[in-house]
Amino acid sequence: MLINFFLGAASFLELVLGVIIFGQREKGKELINISFGLDVLVVSAWVFSALMFRLVSGSTIMFWCKTQYVIGAIVAAGFLFFTYIFPEGKIRIGRWKQVIILAPLIALITMIYWPGAFVKQINIAAHGKDVFFGAISYPIYGLFIVFYFTLAFWNLIKIYLKRRGLIREQLNYFILGTGLTAVSAITFDIILPWFKYFYFWAGTISSLAMVGFIGYAILKKELFGIKIILTEILVSLTAILLLVDVFLSESRLEYLWRGALFLLFVFFGFLLIKSVLKEIKLKNQLAAANEELKKLDKIKSEFLSIASHQLRAPLTIIKGYSSMMLEGDFGKLNEKIKDVVYKMFQSTQGLVLLVEDFLNIGRIEMGQMKYDFADFDLSETVKRVVDEFAADSKKTRGLKLSFESDGGNFNIKADQNKIRQVVYNLIDNAVKYTEKGFVKVFLAHHNKNHKNLLLKIQDSGEGISKEMLSKIFQKFSRESGASRLHVDGSGLGLYVAKKIVEDHGGKIWVESDGKGRGSSFFIELPLNK
Ligand code: ADP
C-alpha cells in the first residue's frame, strides 16, 4: 500500500515537473525545455506503468509489464537525445545519427511487444508477481539501455567539464538526480530481475531523486519563476489529496460534499495561480519600466550637458560686457542705466552658476567629474570670495560680512576652481537666505594634530527646519518656502558641493536650530603638509 502511494506520488510529481518544464519557453532554447519536459513526462508514465503492473490482475498484467519496459527504453533514448540538444538548444547531431538512436528503439519496442519473446511468463505469487524473460531478448534490451545511458552521461560530463558558471552549477544537480535514477533503474529493473529478484518498484521510486535534485536546482538557482512553481505544486498536491478523499467517501452525501469541496478548491486554486502569475508579470513590467527610466535619466543628463555647454558661451559674453559697462569702460552711465545693467549682470551671474551646476550634475552622473589637483592656501581663496561679496553692497543689503582665521598655514592639495565654487556657493546661500544680521566665515585648524582644517559659514538668516536638515544635500531639494523667496534657486548647489568636497576626502555638514534661527555650514578638508 505504502509503495503504491509512493509510486502514485512520484508519477504525479513528475507529471507536474514535466508540465512545468515543458511549459517554460526561454527564447531560443525552446527545444531544451520541450525535449527534457517530454522526457520527464515519459518518466512519469514509466512510474505509472509500474504502479499499474502492481495493481492490475488478469490479462492486462502482461500488457503493463511490457509497457513498463517499453517506456523505460523511450526514457533512455529520449534522455540521450536531450544530451545532444543541451545546453545550446540546437540539435548537435546529423540526421543519420538521429536515425541510429531511433532505430534500435523501434526494434526494442517491437521485440518487447512480440508475443512470447521478451516476457515469457508471469507468475502471481504471494509476495508479488514473478516475471520470466526471454534468454536472448532480455540481455539485448539490457545492453541497449546501459549503452544509451552511458553515452548520455558521457555527453553530459563532457559538457560539464567544458563549461563554467551557472550551467555547471545546474548540471551538478541535474547529473546527480538523473544519474541516481538511471543507476537504480538499471539495477532494479534490468540486472536484479535477471537473477529472479523482483523489486520493480525500487527503480521507479528512485526517480523521485531526479525530481528532488532538479526541483532543488530550480529552487536554489531560480531556474524558473520559483514562486509560481511552488504555488502550482502546492495547489495540485492539495487538489489530488482532496480528489482521493472524494473517492474514499462511504456514503452518497459524503461523496457529494467532498466532491463540492474539491471543485471549490480547484476553482480558488486556479484563481490563486492566476494572481501569482499576474504578480510576476507586474514585477517584470516594473523592472522593465525601471530600466526605461534609467535610460531616460541618462538621456536627460546628456541633454543637460549639451544644452549647458551651448548656454555657457553667450552667458559669459553678456556677463563680461555688463561688468565692463558697470566699471565705466564704455563711458559713464547714468544711475538708471547703471541699475538696469547691474540687474543684467546679477542675473547672468546667477545663470552662469546654474549652468555650472548643471554641467557638474551631468559630469557627476556620467562619472566624468575631473579634478585638477594643485597646492594652494585656502585662506586666501576664502578671503577673496568674502571680499568679492563685501564689495557688492547691493547683494549684501547691509549684512555684516566678516572673515576670521586662527592663523598659520591652510595649504591644501585640491582643485582650486572647484573648491572656490563650493565656498562661493555656501556664502552666496548664506547671503541669499539671510534677511538681516550677519554672515560670518571662520577658518580654523580642526584637530589638535593639525591634520584637518575646518571652514564654518554662519549666518543669522532664516534657518533650516529639522526635516530639511537631513535632505538638504540631495539633488533638487529646496526648503518649501525657498522658491517663493528666491525664484532663481535650483536646489543643486549643495548636492554638487557635497560631491566635490567628498571627492577631496573631506566632509560637509550643516547645523541649524530651526526656522528663523540662522544656520551654519561646515567643511572639513585634509591639510597638505
Ligand atoms: P538653491 O540655493 O539653488 O535652492 P542649494 O542646493 O544651494 O540650492 O540649497 C538648497 C536649499 O537649502 C535652498 O533652497 C534653501 O532652502 C536651503 N538653504 C541652503 N543654504 C541655506 C542657508 N544658509 N540658510 C537657509 N537655508 C539654506
Side-chain angles (χ1 to χ4, degrees):
M1 184 63 201
L2 199 65
I3 291 176
N4 291 348
F5 173 79
F6 274 119
L7 284 178
S11 173
F12 171 72
L13 281 177
E14 279 149 12
L15 186 74
V16 174
L17 188 70
V19 169
I20 289 170
I21 295 174
F22 188 79
Q24 293 281 330
R25 288 285 187 276
E26 200 184 330
K27 231 177 149 27
K29 304 219 162 164
E30 290 90 348
L31 256 183
I32 293 184
N33 289 331
I34 293 176
S35 74
F36 190 63
L38 276 179
D39 213 38
V40 174
L41 287 177
V42 180
V43 171
S44 162
W46 173 56
V47 180
F48 181 73
S49 63
L51 176 66
M52 289 310 283
F53 172 63
R54 289 173 62 84
L55 291 178
V56 296
S57 56
S59 58
T60 50
I61 299 178
M62 188 60 114
F63 168 78
W64 284 112
C65 181
K66 289 176 174 174
T67 303
Q68 193 183 332
Y69 280 91
V70 164
I71 300 181
I74 299 177
V75 170
F79 188 56
L80 177 61
F81 200 71
F82 166 78
T83 62
Y84 286 115
I85 296 175
F86 186 81
E88 285 87 9
K90 286 185 202 75
I91 305 176
R92 274 199 304 273
I93 45 169
R95 199 155 287 157
W96 275 112
K97 282 197 178 162
Q98 293 176 31
V99 171
I100 292 175
I101 294 178
L102 265 181
L105 177 67
I106 294 168
L108 281 182
I109 294 175
T110 319
M111 180 186 84
I112 293 168
Y113 280 133
W114 199 271
F118 185 72
V119 181
K120 289 250 181 256
Q121 199 187 334
I122 298 174
N123 285 349
I124 301 171
H127 58 266
K129 291 161 180 158
D130 293 349
V131 187
F132 297 91
F133 296 101
I136 300 170
S137 55
Y138 192 74
I140 292 180
Y141 177 87
L143 282 180
F144 257 102
I145 298 295
V146 171
F147 181 69
Y148 273 141
F149 274 122
T150 313
L151 199 57
F153 282 105
W154 173 243
N155 285 341
L156 281 184
I157 287 168
K158 266 200 309 201
I159 298 168
Y160 180 84
L161 291 179
K162 255 196 271 170
R163 301 286 171 147
R164 291 273 174 279
L166 190 68
I167 287 202
R168 199 170 175 153
E169 279 182 59
Q170 289 171 357
L171 268 176
N172 261 334
Y173 299 104
F174 189 79
I175 293 179
L176 254 172
T178 48
L180 232 90
T181 309
V183 167
S184 70
I186 290 173
T187 314
F188 290 109
D189 289 332
I190 295 178
I191 300 175
L192 287 184
W194 183 247
F195 299 104
K196 302 269 172 295
Y197 295 105
F198 301 109
Y199 303 105
F200 294 120
W201 52 271
T204 35
I205 282 184
S206 75
S207 65
L208 270 172
M210 182 189 77
V211 181
F213 278 105
I214 294 174
Y216 181 72
I218 289 176
L219 292 188
K220 199 165 169 220
K221 306 285 167 215
E222 293 202 41
L223 297 189
F224 313 106
I226 155 185
K227 207 166 172 183
I228 187 68
I229 293 170
L230 277 182
T231 321
E232 277 170 358
I233 290 178
L234 214 74
V235 168
S236 322
L237 263 180
T238 319
I240 288 287
L241 284 178
L242 284 174
L243 190 65
V244 170
D245 205 37
V246 175
F247 295 140
L248 293 177
S249 315
E250 273 161 9
S251 72
R252 253 182 239 162
L253 190 69
E254 218 176 38
Y255 191 77
L256 280 178
W257 148 243
R258 289 183 182 181
L261 195 71
F262 168 74
L263 287 180
L264 210 71
F265 178 80
V266 169
F267 175 70
F268 281 110
F270 175 73
L271 286 188
L272 181 70
I273 291 176
K274 234 177 95 175
S275 77
V276 172
L277 270 178
K278 210 165 137 191
E279 189 192 314
I280 289 176
K281 207 171 138 194
L282 219 75
K283 254 196 199 145
N284 288 343
Q285 279 173 348
L286 261 178
N290 206 6
E291 270 307 300
E292 202 52 36
L293 272 179
K294 272 193 196 143
K295 262 194 230 152
L296 271 178
D297 200 53
K298 196 159 172 257
I299 293 173
K300 180 215 71 189
S301 299
E302 278 163 14
F303 170 76
L304 261 182
S305 148
I306 293 169
S308 316
H309 269 293
Q310 301 295 331
L311 277 172
R312 195 154 61 163
L315 281 176
T316 320
I317 293 173
I318 299 175
K319 192 182 136 195
Y321 278 125
S322 47
S323 153
M324 282 159 80
M325 281 167 89
L326 284 176
E327 279 159 21
D329 288 4
F330 303 110
K332 207 169 155 33
L333 307 175
N334 68 36
E335 278 309 305
K336 231 177 180 173
I337 296 182
K338 211 171 173 181
D339 199 44
V340 171
V341 175
Y342 177 77
K343 279 185 182 138
M344 273 169 61
F345 173 76
Q346 271 298 304
S347 40
T348 340
Q349 166 89 348
L351 263 180
V352 168
L353 288 177
L354 184 68
V355 165
E356 198 51 47
D357 277 346
F358 277 151
L359 278 173
N360 280 329
I361 294 277
R363 289 184 195 124
I364 290 171
E365 283 176 4
M366 289 189 273
Q368 290 169 351
M369 195 78 158
K370 290 204 177 68
Y371 297 99
D372 262 337
F373 286 96
D375 287 329
F376 65 95
D377 187 345
L378 184 68
S379 70
E380 276 172 30
T381 312
V382 177
K383 193 169 180 325
R384 246 182 278 136
V385 177
V386 175
D387 286 346
E388 204 179 308
F389 274 96
D392 194 341
S393 61
K394 278 203 173 143
K395 187 156 192 171
T396 50
R397 308 175 313 275
L399 292 176
K400 245 179 77 186
L401 240 76
S402 62
F403 172 63
E404 269 175 52
S405 90
D406 67 358
N409 148 38
F410 287 96
N411 278 344
I412 56 171
K413 195 179 176 72
D415 185 317
Q416 191 166 7
N417 270 331
K418 297 240 160 54
I419 293 291
R420 195 197 101 91
Q421 190 191 331
V422 173
V423 174
Y424 187 95
N425 213 325
L426 291 186
I427 298 180
D428 190 45
N429 274 348
V431 169
K432 216 159 62 171
Y433 299 110
T434 303
E435 200 93 37
K436 57 177 191 290
F438 61 83
V439 172
K440 290 180 186 163
V441 182
F442 300 98
L443 191 57
H445 293 89
H446 190 30
N447 285 354
K448 281 200 190 88
N449 53 13
H450 285 213
K451 268 200 174 143
N452 293 326
L453 63 78
L454 183 72
L455 177 69
K456 176 181 175 189
I457 295 159
Q458 185 189 8
D459 66 51
S460 60
E462 60 191 53
I464 296 158
S465 63
K466 253 219 175 80
E467 65 266 20
M468 190 61 195
L469 274 179
S470 56
K471 298 189 290 206
I472 203 160
F473 292 103
Q474 287 168 13
K475 210 177 356 174
F476 298 114
S477 79
R478 308 194 66 202
E479 189 86 84
S480 48
S483 53
R484 193 168 38 80
L485 284 169
H486 304 278
V487 269
D488 56 335
S490 63
L492 291 175
L494 289 179
Y495 171 76
V496 175
K498 184 174 158 78
K499 176 76 183 161
I500 292 177
V501 170
E502 285 176 353
D503 282 353
H504 280 83
K507 277 197 292 193
I508 182 167
W509 70 98
V510 59
E511 289 171 8
S512 171
D513 289 336
K515 282 255 109 186
R517 306 175 68 172
S519 21
S520 300
F521 281 81
F522 297 86
I523 291 179
E524 195 182 308
L525 281 173
L527 277 165
N528 192 22
K529 291 227 164 166

